[in-house]
Amino acid sequence: MEARFNLFENEFGSRFAKRFAGAGMLVHESSLPKSTQELVSLRASQINGCGHCIDMHVKEAAAAGESAVRLHLVAAWRESTVFTEAERAALALAEEGTRLADAHQGVSDETWAQVRKHYDDDQTAALVSLVALINAANRLAVITHQRGGSYEAGMFTAALAD
């Protein structure tokens, strides 16, 4: 299946993509641990079935030193022993924030309490922003049929430098 549309080849799409990527860089530069950022992005992308984003976040995490075991277990993090309590809170927020339509309450009070236990105000703001951004990125990529498999670590940062 070929991509339907390339946002970067359209004037409006390119302007939007640059602003969207700028918001992503703000989160990337936050004090939220980089490993947590990649795990959260990976989990939301798995739920949303976004091959392009799964490809990107697996490769970026691996390049940053994340273990293959942890990357493989993100999909079953609740049944795994390799994630910290803080990471588990972030992954729960990612799941509940991604599956808003599946629960009448959205993000549970229990999950929110765990997030606040492990993350300060700036990290919480970055985490909430990240969940919103990765879900939007998943939708952009899935709608336009961006496929996974060809991403190389560092491509996103290099594209922003252009």
Side-chain angles (χ1 to χ4, degrees), residues 23 25-34 36-37 93 112 115-131:
M25 287 305 295
L26 184 63
V27 172
H28 182 73
E29 294 167 354
S30 75
S31 62
L32 184 65
K34 304 300 180 251
T36 301
Q37 291 180 37
L93 182 72
W112 187 253
V115 166
R116 295 305 290 155
K117 176 181 174 183
H118 296 287
Y119 298 100
D120 65 25
D121 286 353
D122 286 345
Q123 291 170 326
T124 298
L127 184 56
V128 169
S129 299
L130 176 61
V131 171

Side-chain angles (χ1 to χ4, degrees), residues 1-21:
M1 183 182 313
E2 294 294 315
R4 290 179 171 157
F5 189 76
N6 185 334
L7 283 173
F8 295 100
E9 292 177 354
N10 170 273
E11 182 182 344
F12 177 85
S14 180
R15 288 176 35 221
F16 174 81
K18 286 179 183 176
R19 285 175 175 82
F20 187 81

Side-chain angles (χ1 to χ4, degrees), residues 53-132:
C53 294
I54 291 169
D55 187 32
M56 174 190 296
H57 294 291
V58 164
K59 290 174 180 173
E60 289 292 350
E66 189 60 71
S67 76
V69 169
R70 283 169 43 94
L71 291 174
H72 288 296
L73 288 173
V74 167
W77 66 269
R78 291 179 194 276
E79 309 303 324
S80 305
T81 60
V82 298
F83 301 104
T84 67
E85 283 189 34
E87 290 167 337
R88 295 171 74 74
L91 288 165
L93 182 72
E95 284 190 359
E96 292 176 24
T98 298
R99 293 183 164 138
L100 292 174
D102 296 344
H104 73 282
Q105 64 187 19
V107 174
S108 69
D109 290 339
E110 179 183 341
T111 293
W112 187 253
Q114 287 300 307
V115 166
R116 295 305 290 155
K117 176 181 174 183
H118 296 287
Y119 298 100
D120 65 25
D121 286 353
D122 286 345
Q123 291 170 326
T124 298
L127 184 56
V128 169
S129 299
L130 176 61
V131 171

